[in-house]
Amino acid sequence: MNPSKKPTPRNRTVVDMDAIAKKLGVSKTTVHYALSRKGRVSEAVRSQILTVASEMGYRPNLLARSLRTKRTQTIGVILSSLSSSFHAHLLEALDHAAQHNGYNIFLACSYRDADKERELFDMMLSKGVDGIIAAPTSNEQHQAVYTQLGGDGVPIVFVDRDVPESHIDCVSVDNFVGGKLAAEHLLEAGRRRLGFVTMTHRGHQSSTVTERLNGFNYALQSAGLPPATVWGTNVLNQSTGEAVGYEVMSSALKSGDVPFDAVFATNDNLAYGAMRAIREAHLRIPQDIAVVGFDDQDASAFVEPPLTTIRQPVQSVGVAAVELLLRHLKAEPGSNRADPERLKIEPTLVRRGSS
């Protein structure tokens, strides 16, 4: 082959409705009705048109459709992480529900960076997504941003984590109930000196963690016990949950005189790290210290001992978030929105060997 001669690009014929109509000897309107499944077209004609369209390699012009309908049939999804099976299952649930309703998702991840999250919201809006489902990263840093987003005209639904002061809908597990279930289980097992493991201390806690702690302490208070001791890092931490759980539990155990006989971790990753620290301190799980996590990740049934945890109904959360967003998309333009909806789905306790 002569290197100086440039290859001739393939001629790509664009197949449109006119080409299909000409081949079949029908009107373009009939083709449009058949392909869009609208209008009065017999099933025999519709089937013939669909078959020929497929054979000719017809693809709908999505850009033209979006300009006509002012819809892109896309939902922006912003998650804080993709490292856990919880987030993977949540993404799967969102994607299945979106596709079932004729939408595709446009995914981005903030990696728990509040500034990055703001950029992603702007990017999603600039791409013309019809709506956004997001697991917000921070309650404090971007309160004004969340409030502004709630009035921007593009429907937004928070998932997993709420920002109560914002005017934005949210679908989440009932974290208060989850914390209460964990404490009640440990109390029933005879534990009386309970600790609480989280990523960060109170100054930086998300509403999710705060609700779990409040539910946990509510059960302790009802039993006449003092609030749980809380262990977390002093600063916003970008480490994995396992590393933080190991770090804070190792620090708590250093005194040698263990002041607790049970630990509730705000997610399973933290629990995995805490369990390693307990084992390295030559303490037994659950005989010396019982451990309960939150999420019921895929690995939780396979660690040693298997982890007792609070199961999040992640499939139900994902489906409900998409359905809530679609209700707003189908609402009449200019219709006044009521107060934001807060849908809470109850979790369940999964008993295993760690408690």
Side-chain angles (χ1 to χ4, degrees), residues 24 99 192 195 209 233 273:
L24 290 171
Q99 289 193 37
R192 290 297 180 269
V209 172
T233 54

Side-chain angles (χ1 to χ4, degrees), residues 10-51:
R10 286 183 177 180
N11 292 326
R12 183 170 178 268
T13 303
V14 177
V15 178
D16 57 16
M17 293 187 191
D18 285 323
I20 299 170
K22 183 177 180 181
K23 183 176 180 66
L24 290 171
V26 298
S27 70
K28 181 180 175 181
T29 300
T30 300
V31 174
H32 169 70
Y33 284 157
L35 294 177
S36 63
R37 299 188 181 277
K38 296 176 181 177
R40 296 181 179 180
V41 179
S42 71
E43 282 305 314
V45 172
R46 188 192 308 278
S47 177
Q48 185 182 25
I49 290 173
L50 292 175
T51 299

Side-chain angles (χ1 to χ4, degrees), residues 90-140:
L90 175 60
L91 176 59
E92 189 175 69
L94 292 171
D95 190 42
H96 278 309
Q99 289 193 37
H100 178 73
N101 287 280
Y103 284 79
N104 292 308
I105 65 168
F106 180 31
L107 173 65
C109 189
S110 68
Y111 301 103
R112 305 184 186 90
D113 184 327
D115 292 327
K116 179 67 174 176
E117 180 184 71
R118 173 58 199 265
E119 293 174 5
L120 293 177
F121 272 112
D122 289 341
M123 181 271 290
M124 293 286 185
L125 294 173
S126 70
K127 294 291 185 183
V129 297
D130 296 333
I132 298 175
I133 296 174
T137 294
S138 170
N139 289 347
E140 298 175 344

Side-chain angles (χ1 to χ4, degrees), residues 2-3 46 55 57 62 68 76 78 90 101 130 147 152 157 195 206 225 239 260 322 349 351:
N2 186 348
R46 188 192 308 278
E55 291 173 350
L62 298 180
R68 184 174 64 255
I78 303 174
L90 175 60
N101 287 280
D130 296 333
T147 301
D152 272 352
V157 172
S206 67
L225 297 174
S239 301
F260 52 93
V322 171
L349 173 71
R351 290 180 171 86

Side-chain angles (χ1 to χ4, degrees), residues 205-276:
Q205 283 177 7
S206 67
S207 63
T208 298
V209 172
T210 299
E211 290 167 8
R212 291 174 190 177
L213 178 58
N214 289 344
F216 195 71
N217 282 333
Y218 175 84
L220 297 185
Q221 182 182 19
S222 299
L225 297 174
T229 303
V230 178
W231 296 291
T233 54
N234 292 318
V235 295
L236 289 173
N237 199 306
Q238 299 300 318
S239 301
T240 64
E242 293 89 343
V244 174
Y246 177 78
E247 173 192 339
V248 299
M249 185 52 53
S250 295
S251 177
L253 291 168
K254 278 182 179 177
S255 65
D257 179 23
V258 182
F260 52 93
D261 57 11
V263 171
F264 173 44
T266 53
N267 63 56
D268 287 356
N269 299 91
L270 287 166
Y272 304 153
M275 290 169 72
R276 177 182 172 184

